[in-house]
Amino acid sequence: MLLETVVTTLDTVAATRSRLAKVDALAGLLGELAPDEIAPAVGLLVGKPRQGRAGVGWRGVSAVIGEPADEPTLTVLDLDALLEELAALGGAGSASDRSAALRDFAARATAGEQDLLRRVLLGEMRTGALEGVLIDAIARAAGRPGPSVRRAAMLTGDLGETAVIALTGTAEELDAVGLEVGRPVLPMLAATASSAAAAVETTGPASVEYKLDGARIQVHRSGDSVRVFTRNLADITHRVPEVVEIVRRLPARDLILDGETLSLDEDGGPRPFQETMARFARWSSGAARSDAATPAPREPATEGPAEAARETTLHPWFFDILHVDGRDLLDEPLSVRRHELERVAGEYRIPGEVTDDPETAERVSREALAAGQEGVVVKAIDSSYAAGRRGSSWIKVKPVLTYDLVVLACEWGSGRRRGLLSNLHLGARDPDGAFGEPGGFVMVGKTFKGLTDELLRWQTEEFQRIEVRRTPGTVWVAPTTVVEIAIDGVQRSSRYPGGIALRFARVKCYRDDKPAAEADTIATLRSLLRE
């Protein structure tokens, strides 16, 4: 397939807010792909090429884009081969080799194809062609039920692989996709509530569990082989040997566990989140899945990331079990999974209590906070494990309002911050394009509070690396960096297109373990206006 066909389809998708029209356009494209083009094309459509990030920034792209070609000749596989070549380049002389490869490709590309290349390399694919829409398009093009495609995508964690199965395989092969020990699945996500009592009133009988101030992990064991993945499916097994050893000692042969890991102080309390994440920094150099973004380093509490990584011991705590010794548990109710987790994980199970009493839920919440944790997660006791989905079966409750937003730009500082990028422009996800470009981000505020000197130095370097353009005093960046922001609430405002502004926003930490697709939405923030 000519790459120009992808460009034309993406233009059609971006030009409409109709979900049905988007599905129609994408389904038409998918139906024309050759089998070996399906996975690469899907990666382009969702802005997640199978090779991962190519290590090319705004300056590198700008330096090689010249006069476009008059006629389209490049194919989907030509761009896939270029990305493969860029991903393989490294070491001395790689910068010049990378520039030469890009320059040759750009010289053969039309203006639309050059723009697509730039957006793919810089992470700017904001067309509204998000995973949910594309899943419906895959189902339509393949003539398969939407729920079957959606479940396969959740269990493979790879939309390209799912598309190949749906479009080239049988219905039985699609339905046969299941859990596979060693292949991570998308994690189940939680909604939010203002109190544990309110959450229990929503869920009914529930397991009220501590919400740890740690990093989410998914652990797979097959015999003595153990692999550990992050929430965005990056493989970090080599960074957490103590977790591997603990799971090897558990009384089962095959396991898939969902949980968190964190470091503890001498009294058994949680150490700062930054110290835990120091062990996770820079995991993507050859170890991550192809769809995992390169993480940003965090600012540690009292030491540099290297020192914290050497001295911090991580402890795993598990809150769910998806598979044990040949038995899949995804569709079993939480009550069953909880029983199996207690049997297998024992002392490594996250503390919690089953109740339908709001007062009991509030007591557990107070106990979690007194233990130094973030709050609680309230989980309906009859709920199945909905991989990759956020619903009302799991509800997190934290006393401080925090939201995951995306950095859109950063302003140069003044005074003691002169020469450093300081004031962050913050955006919420706008999946339906209610306030701007479909699938993009809508600005909701700015902040320079909570930034340490080390974070200022880091973001000055990082944001220039992912820069896409400049205006006087401001560097605009690819919307790929997630930052956790604490706020006191929101207020109505005509200053920003979403109609709200953050109140007293301050940086809590950068969330290199989260992709931009998991940032909070403008609808979530606007719902605070009613509280």
Side-chain angles (χ1 to χ4, degrees):
M1 175 182 284
L2 286 176
L3 195 58
E4 185 70 18
T5 306
V6 177
V7 172
T8 302
T9 302
L10 288 173
D11 287 343
T12 300
V13 170
T16 180
R17 293 189 177 184
S18 167
R19 184 182 181 92
L20 288 177
K22 292 178 190 288
V23 171
D24 284 342
L26 292 168
L29 172 69
L30 292 166
E32 296 177 7
L33 292 167
D36 59 346
E37 295 174 326
I38 295 172
V42 168
L44 297 179
L45 292 170
V46 295
K48 297 178 181 178
R50 62 187 185 86
Q51 296 83 2
R53 288 170 63 169
V56 180
W58 174 75
R59 289 187 180 86
V61 174
S62 300
V64 301
I65 299 292
E67 287 297 318
D70 294 327
E71 298 294 332
T73 60
L74 294 169
T75 67
V76 168
L77 294 182
D78 287 334
L79 180 50
D80 187 62
L82 171 69
L83 296 173
E84 194 74 25
E85 180 181 357
L86 295 177
L89 289 173
S94 62
S96 60
D97 291 342
R98 187 176 288 111
S99 295
L102 280 170
R103 186 173 289 107
D104 175 69
F105 187 91
R108 294 182 288 139
T110 63
E113 292 166 346
Q114 287 182 348
D115 182 61
L116 175 64
L117 173 65
R118 177 184 60 79
R119 288 189 289 157
V120 167
L121 293 175
L122 298 179
E124 287 195 294
M125 296 295 294
R126 294 183 290 166
T127 62
L130 302 178
E131 281 88 341
V133 177
L134 193 53
I135 284 174
D136 288 346
I138 293 169
R140 178 171 300 180
R144 307 295 183 217
S148 296
V149 176
R150 189 170 295 108
R151 181 178 176 83
M154 292 174 183
L155 296 180
T156 63
D158 188 324
L159 196 53
E161 179 183 344
T162 300
V164 172
I165 297 170
L167 291 164
T168 66
T170 65
E172 291 74 20
E173 288 172 329
L174 182 66
D175 291 337
V177 173
L179 280 176
E180 182 179 313
V181 178
R183 182 178 66 188
V185 300
L186 297 174
M188 185 170 177
L189 305 174
T192 59
S194 58
S195 69
V200 166
E201 290 173 359
T202 298
T203 62
S207 177
V208 184
E209 303 171 0
Y210 286 19
K211 187 182 189 309
L212 306 189
D213 190 15
R216 192 160 182 177
I217 55 173
Q218 186 179 124
V219 184
H220 291 236
R221 174 184 170 185
S222 178
D224 289 333
S225 175
V226 176
R227 297 178 69 188
V228 184
F229 302 91
T230 65
R231 64 177 294 131
N232 63 358
L233 312 187
D235 189 333
I236 54 160
T237 306
H238 64 294
R239 290 193 173 272
V240 289
E242 60 270 68
V243 174
V244 170
E245 287 306 312
I246 286 172
V247 173
R248 278 183 180 148
R249 296 198 300 266
L250 297 180
R253 180 169 180 80
D254 297 319
L255 286 170
I256 301 177
L257 298 165
D258 194 2
E260 297 206 32
T261 185
L262 72 164
S263 57
L264 304 178
D265 59 25
E266 294 78 5
D267 298 322
R271 282 182 156 178
F273 183 57
Q274 291 89 341
E275 293 190 28
T276 296
M277 288 308 299
R279 290 283 297 276
F280 286 46
R282 307 263 182 218
W283 59 62
S284 66
S285 55
R289 286 172 57 95
S290 61
D291 55 353
T294 303
R298 289 179 183 275
E299 182 268 333
T302 58
E303 56 199 346
E307 288 77 8
R310 284 194 298 267
E311 298 177 10
T312 299
T313 298
L314 297 179
H315 296 257
W317 299 90
F318 300 109
F319 52 72
D320 219 322
I321 182 168
L322 312 186
H323 178 93
V324 58
D325 290 338
R327 179 186 175 194
D328 288 348
L329 301 173
L330 278 174
D331 296 324
E332 296 286 352
L334 177 60
S335 55
V336 173
R337 303 199 310 274
R338 197 173 183 272
H339 175 77
E340 286 298 299
L341 184 64
E342 175 65 31
R343 180 181 68 82
V344 172
E347 61 181 302
Y348 299 105
R349 185 173 66 82
I350 280 180
E353 190 170 328
V354 175
T355 184
D356 60 358
D357 177 30
E359 291 186 5
T360 301
E362 288 294 335
R363 172 179 56 77
V364 176
S365 179
R366 291 192 297 271
E367 291 171 355
L369 295 173
Q373 304 301 344
E374 284 191 314
V376 293
V377 181
V378 179
K379 304 176 180 179
I381 200 65
D382 61 351
S383 61
S384 60
Y385 190 96
R389 299 183 64 185
R390 188 191 307 274
S392 58
S393 294
W394 287 15
I395 303 177
K396 59 185 176 183
V397 181
K398 297 193 290 186
V400 177
L401 293 174
T402 64
Y403 294 91
D404 297 320
L405 303 176
V406 173
V407 178
L408 305 179
C410 197
E411 299 173 7
W412 292 103
S414 59
R416 65 180 296 269
R417 293 188 176 187
R418 184 174 299 278
L420 297 170
L421 287 172
S422 175
N423 201 16
L424 302 171
H425 293 206
L426 303 168
R429 199 158 49 86
D430 187 14
D432 300 321
F435 298 95
E437 182 183 356
F441 301 89
V442 55
M443 190 170 173
V444 292
K446 302 180 183 181
T447 189
F448 54 81
K449 299 181 183 299
L451 293 167
T452 65
D453 289 345
E454 184 170 345
L455 278 184
L456 286 166
R457 289 191 295 271
W458 171 77
Q459 67 185 31
T460 299
E461 177 181 349
E462 173 67 8
F463 291 159
Q464 291 185 90
R465 188 183 69 79
I466 61 174
E467 175 181 354
V468 295
R469 63 185 175 92
R470 290 196 184 197
T471 54
T474 304
V475 173
W476 296 82
V477 300
T480 56
T481 305
V482 178
V483 60
E484 186 174 355
I485 299 293
I487 62 174
D488 288 358
V490 301
Q491 60 191 27
R492 298 186 188 278
S493 173
S494 60
R495 183 176 184 181
Y496 303 117
I500 61 169
L502 306 177
R503 297 182 66 247
F504 303 106
R506 57 271 189 197
V507 172
K508 189 169 183 283
C509 60
Y510 279 100
R511 293 304 305 258
D512 44 277
D513 57 329
K514 283 193 175 183
E518 289 187 12
D520 285 297
T521 66
I522 182 66
T524 297
L525 290 175
R526 284 184 61 85
S527 70
L528 297 178
L529 291 173
R530 297 192 295 270
E531 297 183 357

